[in-house]
Amino acid sequence: MMLQLLELGLGTVGYAISRPDVIKKEFNLPENVEPISILAIGYASGEAASPDRHSKMRKPLNEIVSYEIFQH
């Protein structure tokens, strides 16, 4: 669905739902429907950024990730 929307010139963002009860109430969903995700759809406010930016803008993993072992 996201790829088809992209072909139509729309942008998307998918969200996992952590509080299905809130979504059910807001959207007045019936009891037999269990929401698991939401897909936000809209037009971008500007040109899409180049995927090449990641190699220039991202911090190295060793600056943002640490691996620790839990010892009891």
Side-chain angles (χ1 to χ4, degrees):
M1 187 183 316
M2 293 172 88
L3 291 174
Q4 182 62 52
L5 288 164
L6 180 64
E7 286 291 320
L8 295 171
L10 291 159
T12 61
V13 177
Y15 299 94
I17 295 176
S18 60
R19 298 279 314 272
D21 56 318
V22 173
I23 300 302
K24 286 176 98 161
K25 182 178 177 185
E26 286 296 317
F27 289 94
N28 196 28
L29 299 176
E31 282 300 313
N32 65 326
V33 173
E34 187 68 25
I36 57 170
S37 66
I38 291 179
L39 183 62
I41 303 168
Y43 292 99
S45 63
E47 290 294 315
S50 168
D52 297 331
R53 74 189 185 284
H54 298 301
S55 61
K56 299 172 190 161
M57 297 174 63
R58 285 189 177 168
K59 291 184 177 183
L61 281 179
N62 64 348
E63 288 185 23
I64 58 174
V65 176
S66 64
Y67 298 95
E68 299 177 16
I69 298 171
F70 178 74
Q71 297 183 11
H72 41 55

